[in-house]
Amino acid sequence: MQLRYSFRIDPTPGQRVALAKAFGCARVVFNDALALRRQAYREGLPFVADAELSRKMITEAKKRPERVWLGEVSAVVLQQALADCTTAFRNFFASVTGKRKGPKIAPPRFRSRKDNRQAIRFTKNARFSITGQGMLRLPKIGQVAVRWSRELPAEPSSVTIVKDAAGRYFASFVVEVREQSLPATDAETGIDLGLGHFAILADGRKIDAPKFLRRAERKHAKVSDARREFHHQLSTKIIRENQAVYVENLAVNGLARTRLATSIHDAGWSAFIAMLEYKAKLYGRTFARVSRWFPSSKRCSACGQVRAQSLPLSAREWTCPCGAHHDRDVNAANNILAAGRAERLNACGGPVRPGASPAQPDEAGSPGSAAA
């Protein structure tokens, strides 16, 4: 499988100028390609093929006085900008035709020099390389210093140079890695994601949610780095400790449009779940999502009965008629674990525990205890 390894880089003042020129050229080529394809659509013409796009937007454009400066940057950077335009259109078409799962994707938009993120990509045919002294050699940029925090597990197939909103530069390498199994363990867990606690595990452990945005709202780069580090450490720990991990398939985008938006963005659930998923695949663990409509909070994990009365968010504990007393979040995590196991056994032809089948959604149709 392919993984990305990102490292901070320190370009010299001259190299920053060269990178700014490359960012600008890639942006112009992308926008020219997008404009040409939009024009063809309006005029009822066929979708402009990649070869024709390359000829018009790069080869012929370099001969025109208003685009002659395109020749000052690596041709691979320009070709990759065209490839990004094509990918954006294909994803859009696949989304509107239903071939692509998930939320609908908007049509490609023009790039702006005011965008928070600027990026260019070099592939192997661009002949980028890592020198014996640990420098990153980029065509028409030079040898750039890299802050290596670990070794790359294999030779990278491409590198993307990124300038973020804080003005920092990063090299993001794509590396093909082999899946490697961790030692088997009997432990499995369900995870209930919340706001009072970031994650509640089926064994009762509660992981606090660092308030990244509220603690440093003006330090966006530090906020992003701290959140990413927290997600990496926690996801690695959970994957190492458990043979199988189950989480709710939350509608994060929908929740982010509610009054809880700041808290949702602060928690960064989507990024954390994505890390769990790819690390499970990398290390030979089982990962699965449980339906967002599964009543994880209102179902008694002891007897399987679904609570008939409403369960407001302020209610952190409740007692089932069977006599079992529940911590709302731990109960939800145990139900997610049971439901995940049941779905896995059902898929394998095994028995399904009656109490683990999806029933009715939680209060007001909300997905489980996502906002708990």
Side-chain angles (χ1 to χ4, degrees), residues 79-146:
Q79 291 289 351
Q80 291 302 304
L82 293 184
D84 288 344
C85 182
T86 298
T87 299
F89 270 106
R90 286 177 178 169
N91 289 339
F92 170 64
F93 293 148
S95 178
V96 297
T97 57
K99 295 180 180 180
R100 181 186 176 99
K101 298 180 180 179
K104 296 296 183 182
I105 296 178
R109 66 170 184 84
F110 290 107
R111 293 178 175 176
S112 170
R113 62 168 63 109
K114 296 180 180 179
D115 289 344
N116 289 333
R117 183 181 185 273
Q118 302 287 335
I120 52 175
R121 186 168 61 255
F122 297 88
T123 53
K124 287 302 295 182
N125 57 340
R127 296 182 180 178
F128 76 87
S129 62
I130 299 171
T131 70
Q133 293 73 38
M135 305 285 281
L136 173 60
R137 181 184 290 117
L138 299 172
K140 299 196 176 182
I141 302 293
Q143 296 190 37
V144 183
V146 182

Side-chain angles (χ1 to χ4, degrees), residues 97-284:
T97 57
K99 295 180 180 180
R100 181 186 176 99
K101 298 180 180 179
K104 296 296 183 182
I105 296 178
R109 66 170 184 84
F110 290 107
R111 293 178 175 176
S112 170
R113 62 168 63 109
K114 296 180 180 179
D115 289 344
N116 289 333
R117 183 181 185 273
Q118 302 287 335
I120 52 175
R121 186 168 61 255
F122 297 88
T123 53
K124 287 302 295 182
N125 57 340
R127 296 182 180 178
F128 76 87
S129 62
I130 299 171
T131 70
Q133 293 73 38
M135 305 285 281
L136 173 60
R137 181 184 290 117
L138 299 172
K140 299 196 176 182
I141 302 293
Q143 296 190 37
V144 183
V146 182
R147 301 187 192 180
W148 299 104
S149 57
R150 53 183 168 173
E151 292 185 2
L152 292 175
E155 186 177 358
S157 59
S158 70
V159 61
T160 300
I161 306 301
V162 178
K163 181 183 179 183
D164 69 8
R168 304 177 304 171
Y169 294 83
F170 295 87
S172 180
F173 299 92
V174 173
V175 177
E176 189 74 29
V177 298
R178 292 182 178 179
E179 298 177 11
Q180 44 188 310
S181 297
L182 288 169
T185 175
D186 294 332
E188 296 185 347
T189 193
I191 304 175
D192 181 54
L193 297 175
L195 298 178
H197 292 88
F198 178 77
I200 301 88
L201 306 187
D203 62 7
R205 281 184 292 168
K206 297 182 177 181
I207 292 89
D208 289 334
K211 304 299 182 183
F212 299 109
L213 293 179
R214 289 177 172 81
R215 188 173 60 204
E217 287 185 341
R218 295 185 180 181
K219 300 177 182 178
H220 297 297
K222 291 184 178 180
V223 167
S224 178
D225 290 348
R227 186 191 292 112
R228 187 182 304 111
E229 182 66 17
F230 169 69
H231 289 166
H232 268 301
Q233 291 181 358
L234 180 57
S235 59
T236 298
K237 180 178 176 62
I238 290 174
I239 291 298
R240 287 188 180 278
E241 292 178 348
N242 296 277
Q243 190 67 32
V245 176
Y246 308 104
V247 299
E248 278 185 307
N249 187 19
L250 300 174
V252 176
N253 289 339
L255 291 170
R257 291 193 291 269
T258 69
R259 61 184 175 83
L260 299 172
T262 300
S263 297
I264 299 298
H265 288 303
D266 203 17
W269 289 338
S270 294
F272 174 68
I273 293 173
M275 287 183 187
L276 283 173
E277 185 170 22
Y278 90 73
K279 289 179 182 180
K281 181 179 179 181
L282 178 62
Y283 295 116

